[in-house]
Amino acid sequence: AGTGYATNFVTGQGSSGVAVVDSDVSIIDDGALITAASVSITNALGGDALTVGSLPAGISASGAGTASVSLSGDASAADYQSALAAIDFSNSLPAPSLTTRVIDVSVTDDGSNISNTATTTASLEAAPIVDLNGTDAGESFSTRFTIGSNTAVAVADTDADILDADSTSLTRLAI
């Protein structure tokens, strides 16, 4: 139990979002219906966004793709739990600030009572960047190998680079 959740988001190209609530999120209310929910990144930085996946019937979202999402519609607590589980945090920048993001979540019941604020902390970790062609444009490198030539070919340029913004050591490199 508790009202906090912690998650990690790995930055970089192709990074998928992370859920803003735990898989066992629980909404407890003495009424029959929840009417709204609010999810907001309180310290949003460049590239931050909340995305919304598939929602239960009767619940709609506004603000998807921004730092603040509002859910609305009369539905059960269980449906709102599912709706909150459909919201992800992500960052679109290739190298965003690694500042931990704080995401506040609250719900409103059919008596207009607003819940406590549950807080998610999203730590950002930088994925290493491999640049096979160094100072040339882009990150890719190409070469030709002739079958039967018995001549070795380089798999990277002589000034290839590996960058990792949040660590000084790498545990593995696979080619």
Side-chain angles (χ1 to χ4, degrees), residues 76-104:
S76 68
D79 283 345
Y80 265 90
Q81 290 169 184
S82 295
L84 290 172
I87 300 175
D88 286 349
F89 164 81
S90 64
N91 187 290
S92 61
L93 299 177
S97 166
L98 299 180
T99 299
T100 297
R101 307 307 197 273
V102 177
I103 303 167
D104 286 346

Side-chain angles (χ1 to χ4, degrees), residues 28-33 109-110 113:
I28 301 169
D29 186 61
D30 59 3
L33 297 173
D109 69 12
D110 56 352
N113 299 306

Side-chain angles (χ1 to χ4, degrees), residues 4-9 18-20 100-103 119-124:
Y5 174 62
T7 188
N8 292 327
F9 174 75
V18 294
V20 299
T100 297
R101 307 307 197 273
V102 177
I103 303 167
T119 301
T120 294
T121 53
S123 299
L124 277 71

Side-chain angles (χ1 to χ4, degrees), residues 25-83:
V25 61
S26 178
I27 298 172
I28 301 169
D29 186 61
D30 59 3
L33 297 173
I34 302 297
T35 60
S38 173
V39 180
S40 298
I41 307 169
T42 64
N43 62 336
L45 297 171
D48 288 352
L50 297 171
T51 56
V52 181
S54 179
L55 296 173
I59 300 176
S60 61
S62 61
T66 70
S68 183
V69 168
S70 296
L71 301 176
S72 60
D74 293 348
S76 68
D79 283 345
Y80 265 90
Q81 290 169 184
S82 295

Side-chain angles (χ1 to χ4, degrees), residues 143-154:
T143 189
R144 289 181 179 251
F145 172 75
T146 304
I147 296 175
S149 71
N150 292 329
T151 303
V153 296

